[in-house]
């Protein structure tokens, strides 16, 4: 009988031995042992630089996985023996022994894995593979959120980049008098920036004793260092304050440093908390790599022993007039900067302020960070023409380096055309002699001119006649490999397809011509082409069907410099069909490189993420629904495996039909009718529609936009759950007061066609302590005894019999009540779990 047990007992013993091996392998002397092995020199002789602790963890993981599989197979074999025993007691006993031994072995294997995972995690190694901070997952001690939802709303409050980061230009490190600056996508609440929420740690040496560059090692980082944390708009800037030497605010030269902004701790001016993504495996998740995912909340930077004493220079490239700009679509605002070490970013002002400056999703944005820190940087935001009056306007830009030192300002003027010059109608009363030309609009093509400002197109030909000559305003992306789709936006590009030429170097020998990916992908303002085979890095030329041309690096329009032809394989969008639709309508994008399944890929329409139709994702076509957005033009992109495509334009047009609310919304009740900032409010009524709209808290002329709860399905046709906001749309804090509180009129607005409630129900914002809020119950019906999960915020973390999170059996402070109204209330008596954001009651 025992001959059936011994192999399985050996399996269990082997698993236990491996668990002991994992602990022994993590002896404190191991980091020094890894250094002694010469990993710092491995890269220079072509060997792997994988940390030996990672190798050991991988070996243990594979062995434990194999033993676990063997235990499962043995358990299945014992079950098979049991089924064919036909009542033979000896065979039944053997089968039972086999299953028992396999079960014991499996338990020991799982315990060995848990021990190894705990000890490796304590030393900064992820037992599932690699150092925490570079191998994927959420770094130890960090707070992450998948998909960027949470209380951050659409897109969330997130990091846009950390500057500087990585090993520096040519791997030589960054000047030690630089600051570490975290750039975010919205203004930062200064009170949320503390030593606990923004940590900087000194790590391993940047070079060894022979001067050879060393890779960042997370396990070498010490305790957080002291320093000054400054908030400047959407930036958090950190300077040390206790470095030895003449300049205590410098970082210590030739060392790596790790900076962390703590997810859920940092807030923006509207009360949203920071969303930190889970790190992907590979280089995109290596916090010390220049190619790391830019929204990571953990980054590493190497500093050398130099100091930067020269400020950068900057020049505004766009927008340029003539011609004047038409319509309401955002126009590119672009500048180019140079520095002797690194341009950290560029700030913009429009007519002396930041109002009217937005990002490609329509959110306020007045600066741009250098995504790949380098000496030269070009970038920009957009000017929202819908907010500008006809006439002259001024763009001002300044650039900063890593110290930060600021450049002298650069200015550029542009003009916005009167509305009658942009309506595609020949307005005789306005003096137009053609469609949108003539009179105050400027002369039509063929009209006499002596300078460019006299022509609607902004171009006066050598013959003294106005001509419709194209202007290239932007190219995106500005670097891609052969076959990748790129989008060229501009003006006067013509309605019929012309040609796009990649000019490469000097001379015509290496010119390569591309045509639009489809005839439908060429319009007067946008062209999509594929990078042709054999194309070399250089400028791009557009030639219209009328034989007029413009180069991307000339003085007509912004100087965009050279297009970089590299080996990057990117997803690409050729066109959207239809190009305009109402919220709720279905549309699709056609292109290439989307992948066979949606997986972690996504489509962005500005700040919105359209819902992909069931079965609507293929390698060349993605079908989706227009989200609830206001009528305007949005940029469409698709992201696959962390790589983002070119951009095409899509217009939301509520007049095209859709599925919004059928009638004006009507609010019936609010529950509760008062509460503190951050509390949940349920609005009941009719006609809210199935697409998400907006809820506003109004006090006189002041308006505050309600925040989304943690549940994504908070908007129904007959009820909506929102959170009480803390600030008005201008950023100032809302008024609160003791009971009964400060009154706010609640207004609910549906998506297109944007109907608003006219009810006068009031909500009173108080200074009471925070209270729990429910936003989801699943399932929402069932018989007594059925398990119910309640999701929300502020439920607390009760402890029962010393075990956290198991639910309060009799604690009077914590209870879930089921009520039919009045005094007819029954409290739940059993809980499967109780956490701060979710309760499962029985």
């Amino acid at each position: 009988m025992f001959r059936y047990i011994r192999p399985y007992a050996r399996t269990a013993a082997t698993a236990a031995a491996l668990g002991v091996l994992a602990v022994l392998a993590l002896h404190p002397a191991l980091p020094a042992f890894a250094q002694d092995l010469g990993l710092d020199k491995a890269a220079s002789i072509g060997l792997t630089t994988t940390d030996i602790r990672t190798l050991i963890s991988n070996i243990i993981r594979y062995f434990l996985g194999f033993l676990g599989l063997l235990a499962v197979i043995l358990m299945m074999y014992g079950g098979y023996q049991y089924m064919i025993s036909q009542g033979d007691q000896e065979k039944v006993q053997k089968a039972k022994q086999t299953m028992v031994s396999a079960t014991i072995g499996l338990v020991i294997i799982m315990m060995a894995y848990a021990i190894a995972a705990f000890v490796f995690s304590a030393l900064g190694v992820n037992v599932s593979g690699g150092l925490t901070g570079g191998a994927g997952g959420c770094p130890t001690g960090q707070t992450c959120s998948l998909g960027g939802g949470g209380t951050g709303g659409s897109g969330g409050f997130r990091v846009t980049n950390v500057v500087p980061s990585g090993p520096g230009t040519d791997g030589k490190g960054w000047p030690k008098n630089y600051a570490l600056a975290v750039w975010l996508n919205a203004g930062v609440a200064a009170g949320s920036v503390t030593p606990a929420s923004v940590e900087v740690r000194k790590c391993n040496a940047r070079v060894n004793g022979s001067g050879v560059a060393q890779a960042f090692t997370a396990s070498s980082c010490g305790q957080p260092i002291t320093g000054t944390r400054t908030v400047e708009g959407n930036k958090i800037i950190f300077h040390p304050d206790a470095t030895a030497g003449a300049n205590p605010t410098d970082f210590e030269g030739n060392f790596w440093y790790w900076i962390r902004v703590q997810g859920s701790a940092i807030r923006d001016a509207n009360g949203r908390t920071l969303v930190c993504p889970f790190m992907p495996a590979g280089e995109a998740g290596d916090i010390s790599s220049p190619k790391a995912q830019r929204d990571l909340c953990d980054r590493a930077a190497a500093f050398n022993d130099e100091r930067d004493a020269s400020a950068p220079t900057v020049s505004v490239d766009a927008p340029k007039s003539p011609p004047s700009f038409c319509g309401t679509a955002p126009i590119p605002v672009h500048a180019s900067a140079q520095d002797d070490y690194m341009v950290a970013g560029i700030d913009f002002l429009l007519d002396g302020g930041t109002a009217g400056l937005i990002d490609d999703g329509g959110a306020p944005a007045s600066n741009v960070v250098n995504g790949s820190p380098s000496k030269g940087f070009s970038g920009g935001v957009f000017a929202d023409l819908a907010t500008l009056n006809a006439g002259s306007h001024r763009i001002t830009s300044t650039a900063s380096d890593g110290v930060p030192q600021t450049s002298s300002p650069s200015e550029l003027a542009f003009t916005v055309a009167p509305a009658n010059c942009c309506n595609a109608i020949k307005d005789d009363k306005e003096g137009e002699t053609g469609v949108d030309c003539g009179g105050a609009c400027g002369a039509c093509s063929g009209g006499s001119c002596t300078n460019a400002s006299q022509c609607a197109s902004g171009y006066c030909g050598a013959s003294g006649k106005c001509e419709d000559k194209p202007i290239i305003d932007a190219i995106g992306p500005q670097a891609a490999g052969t076959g990748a789709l790129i989008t060229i936006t501009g003006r006067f590009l013509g309605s019929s397809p012309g040609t796009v030429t990649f000019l490469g170097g000097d001379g015509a020998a290496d010119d390569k011509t591309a045509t639009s990916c489809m005839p439908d992908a060429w319009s007067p303002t946008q062209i999509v082409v594929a990078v042709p085979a054999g194309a070399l890095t250089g400028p791009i030329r557009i030639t219209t069907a009328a034989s007029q041309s413009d180069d991307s690096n000339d003085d007509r329009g912004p100087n965009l410099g050279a297009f970089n032809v590299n080996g990057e394989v990117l997803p690409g969008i050729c066109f959207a069909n239809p190009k305009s639709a109402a919220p709720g309508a279905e549309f699709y994008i056609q292109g290439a490189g989307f992948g066979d399944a949606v997986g972690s890929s996504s489509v962005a329409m500005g700040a919105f993420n359209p819902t992909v139709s069931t079965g609507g994702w293929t390698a060349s076509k993605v079908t989706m629904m227009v989200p609830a957005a206001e009528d305007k033009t949005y940029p469409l992109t698709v992201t696959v495996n962390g790589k983002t495509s070119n951009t095409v334009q899509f217009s939301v047009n509520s007049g095209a039909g859709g599925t919004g609310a059928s009638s004006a919304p009507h609010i019936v009740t609010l529950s509760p009718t008062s509460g503190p900032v951050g509390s949940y409010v349920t609005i009941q009524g009719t006609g809210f529609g199935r697409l998400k709209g907006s809820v506003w808290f109004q006090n006189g002329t002041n308006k505050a936009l309600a925040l989304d709860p943690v549940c994504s399905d908070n908007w129904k046709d007959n009820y909506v759950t929102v959170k009480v906001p803390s600030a008005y749309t201008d950023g100032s804090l809302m008024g609160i007061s003791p009971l009964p509180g400060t009154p706010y009129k609640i207004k609910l607005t549906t998506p297109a066609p944007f109907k608003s409630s006219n009810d006068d129900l009031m909500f009173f914002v108080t200074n009471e302590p925070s209270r729990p809020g429910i936003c989801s119950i699943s399932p929402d019906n069932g018989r007594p005894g059925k398990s119910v999960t309640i999701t929300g915020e502020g439920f607390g973390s009760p402890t029962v019999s010393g075990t956290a999170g198991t639910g309060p059996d009799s604690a009077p402070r914590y209870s879930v009540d089921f009520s039919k109204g009045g005094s007819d209330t029954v409290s739940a008596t059993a809980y499967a779990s109780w956490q701060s954001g979710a309760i499962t009651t029985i």
Side-chain angles (χ1 to χ4, degrees):
M1 177 172 66
F2 290 99
R3 67 179 180 273
Y4 294 99
I5 298 174
R6 286 172 184 163
Y8 318 129
R10 286 199 299 271
T11 299
T14 301
L18 279 172
V20 175
L21 174 63
V23 177
L24 293 176
L26 296 171
H27 188 275
L30 184 59
F33 176 60
Q35 293 294 332
D36 291 342
L37 287 178
L39 292 181
D40 52 76
K41 300 179 178 66
S44 64
I45 59 176
L47 299 178
T48 178
T49 57
T50 303
D51 193 290
I52 191 169
R53 294 160 296 167
T54 301
L55 292 175
I56 292 175
S57 74
N58 286 339
I59 293 171
I60 292 173
R61 179 164 55 94
Y62 294 145
F63 268 103
L64 292 179
F66 171 78
L67 292 176
L69 177 62
L70 179 60
V72 173
I73 293 173
L74 292 174
M75 192 176 297
M76 296 173 62
Y77 176 68
Y80 174 75
Q81 285 183 314
Y82 189 94
M83 288 189 295
I84 65 172
S85 63
Q86 297 182 346
D88 187 322
Q89 290 302 311
E90 184 177 357
K91 291 183 178 179
V92 169
Q93 188 63 25
K94 290 179 180 179
K96 289 182 178 179
Q97 290 288 0
T98 299
M99 289 188 288
V100 169
S101 297
T103 301
I104 293 173
L106 188 60
V107 170
I108 295 175
I109 291 166
M110 294 173 65
M111 292 175 63
Y113 183 91
I115 294 171
F118 174 80
V119 180
F120 271 115
S121 177
L123 288 181
V125 180
N126 189 339
V127 80
S128 63
L131 291 172
T132 55
C138 188
T140 303
Q142 183 59 274
T143 303
C144 302
S145 176
L146 278 172
T151 59
S154 180
F157 178 44
R158 64 189 185 279
V159 173
T160 57
N161 212 348
V162 175
V163 178
S165 59
T169 305
D170 299 325
K172 296 179 180 179
W174 303 108
K176 62 183 180 181
N177 65 325
Y178 273 17
L180 279 170
V182 182
W183 295 57
L184 301 105
N185 67 332
V188 179
S192 67
V193 177
T194 67
S197 63
V198 180
E199 291 183 352
V200 176
R201 299 171 187 258
K202 179 184 171 185
C203 305
N204 59 294
R206 185 185 71 84
V207 294
N208 63 14
S210 302
V212 178
Q214 297 190 118
F216 167 72
T217 305
S219 60
S220 69
C221 299
Q223 294 300 309
I225 64 174
T226 61
T228 302
R229 296 158 179 82
T230 305
V231 175
E232 295 183 2
N234 65 328
K235 291 175 280 188
I236 302 171
I237 300 174
F238 178 92
H239 274 293
D241 59 12
T243 306
N247 300 287
T249 60
D250 287 1
F251 287 94
E252 187 170 349
N254 288 322
F255 278 92
W256 281 93
Y257 283 81
W258 183 349
I259 182 170
R260 161 174 287 177
V261 282
Q262 187 67 45
S264 78
I266 303 295
R267 299 187 307 277
D268 72 359
N270 292 319
R272 298 185 303 175
T273 54
L274 177 64
V275 173
C276 291
F278 279 81
M279 296 195 305
E283 196 167 13
D286 179 358
I287 66 172
S288 66
S289 171
K291 296 183 179 180
Q293 191 167 297
R294 294 181 184 178
D295 57 352
L296 296 182
C297 294
D298 293 76
R299 294 300 294 272
F303 293 94
N304 56 35
D305 210 27
E306 300 175 358
R307 302 188 87 245
D308 184 1
S310 300
T313 60
V314 69
S315 62
V316 185
D317 301 321
K320 286 184 177 179
S321 292
S324 299
F325 289 88
C326 263
T328 60
I331 60 173
V333 173
H334 194 276
S336 299
Q338 291 287 331
D339 186 65
D340 50 351
Y341 286 97
M342 176 192 72
V343 178
I346 301 174
D347 292 278
F348 295 93
L349 296 175
L350 172 57
D351 294 332
T354 59
L357 293 174
I358 58 176
D359 62 18
D360 59 1
S366 59
N367 51 39
V368 59
V369 61
N370 187 350
S372 301
S374 54
K375 296 180 180 181
F377 173 58
S378 296
V381 291
F382 293 83
D384 188 359
L385 285 187
T387 66
L388 300 181
N389 297 322
S392 179
H393 298 274
R394 185 181 78 259
I395 291 291
T396 306
S397 74
T398 54
S400 58
D401 61 15
V403 176
Q405 299 172 118
T406 303
S407 70
S408 298
S410 173
E411 290 191 356
L412 185 66
F414 69 99
T415 57
V416 176
N420 67 281
C421 301
C422 308
N423 59 8
I425 298 173
K426 181 174 177 289
D427 296 294
D428 295 320
K429 293 182 179 180
E430 302 294 339
E432 295 183 16
T433 56
V435 175
D436 294 340
C437 60
C441 304
C444 301
S445 179
S448 298
C449 59
T450 57
N451 60 71
S453 63
Q454 296 172 332
C455 302
S457 67
Y459 183 73
C460 181
S463 62
K465 302 291 184 181
C466 293
E467 301 175 9
D468 287 345
K469 187 174 182 179
I471 299 176
I472 301 174
D473 284 324
I475 299 172
Q478 289 187 298
T482 297
L485 294 177
I486 66 170
T487 300
I488 303 169
T489 56
R491 292 166 278 170
F492 308 103
L493 306 180
S495 300
S496 300
T499 58
V500 176
T501 305
F502 288 70
L503 300 177
D506 295 333
D510 54 7
D511 290 359
K512 300 295 178 182
T513 299
T515 56
S516 58
C517 59
M518 289 191 68
D520 194 43
W522 189 298
S523 74
T525 58
Q526 177 179 279
I527 304 167
V528 179
V529 298
V531 179
L536 301 177
T537 296
I540 292 177
R541 173 176 296 162
I542 296 291
T543 304
T544 66
S547 299
Q548 295 286 354
S549 64
D550 181 38
D551 292 353
S552 61
N553 64 341
D554 62 16
D555 292 333
R556 182 168 169 80
N559 185 343
L560 303 178
F563 178 86
N564 183 21
V565 180
N566 55 26
E568 192 88 21
V569 179
L570 301 174
I573 303 174
C574 181
F575 64 92
N577 187 31
K579 296 179 180 179
S580 176
E586 198 170 69
F587 74 109
Y588 68 87
I589 54 175
Q590 191 80 37
F594 300 157
D596 295 329
V598 58
S600 61
S601 303
S602 62
V603 177
M605 191 190 88
F608 298 91
N609 294 111
T611 300
V612 177
S613 304
T614 302
W617 192 289
T618 69
S620 59
K621 182 179 180 182
V622 178
T623 304
M624 68 210 95
M625 180 184 293
V626 180
E630 63 178 306
D631 284 13
K632 61 187 294 185
T633 300
Y634 296 87
L636 272 176
T637 59
V638 60
T639 300
V640 179
N641 295 326
K643 297 182 178 181
T644 301
S645 72
N646 60 314
T647 300
V648 299
Q649 300 299 318
F650 181 83
S651 297
V652 176
N653 178 9
S654 58
T659 56
S662 58
S663 59
H666 174 54
I667 300 175
V668 178
T669 61
L670 303 176
S671 179
T673 57
S674 67
V677 167
S679 61
Y680 280 35
V681 182
T682 298
I683 304 169
Q684 293 182 301
T686 60
F688 298 164
R690 67 180 179 86
L691 297 177
K692 186 175 292 187
S694 303
V695 174
W696 298 90
F697 287 64
Q698 297 183 349
N699 186 320
T701 58
N702 296 317
K703 295 176 62 178
L705 179 63
L707 305 177
D708 286 340
V710 295
C711 308
S712 60
D713 59 342
N714 64 308
W715 192 285
K716 307 293 183 182
D717 185 62
N718 60 342
Y719 74 90
V720 173
T721 301
V722 296
K723 289 175 64 174
V724 178
S726 61
Y728 297 116
T729 53
D730 63 2
S732 60
L733 295 178
M734 291 173 55
I736 60 175
S737 61
L739 288 171
T742 303
Y744 287 86
K745 185 179 294 185
I746 301 299
K747 289 288 186 181
L748 184 147
T749 303
T750 65
F754 305 105
K755 298 177 181 178
S756 296
S757 63
N758 57 0
D759 311 290
D760 293 325
L761 273 70
M762 306 296 291
F763 185 89
F764 296 83
V765 181
T766 70
N767 61 354
E768 300 172 84
S770 60
R771 57 176 63 167
I774 298 173
C775 63
S776 175
I777 301 175
S778 179
D780 60 4
N781 65 89
R783 55 180 173 75
K786 187 176 180 65
S787 176
V788 177
T789 298
I790 303 167
T791 305
E793 293 180 85
F795 297 162
S797 300
T799 301
V800 178
S801 302
T803 303
T806 57
D809 293 337
S810 59
R813 291 195 308 117
Y814 297 93
S815 66
V816 174
D817 298 331
F818 293 79
S819 176
K820 292 171 57 179
S823 60
D824 193 1
T825 300
V826 177
S827 296
T829 57
Y831 302 89
S833 67
W834 188 305
Q835 304 295 333
S836 179
I839 303 170
T840 301
T841 180
I842 302 172

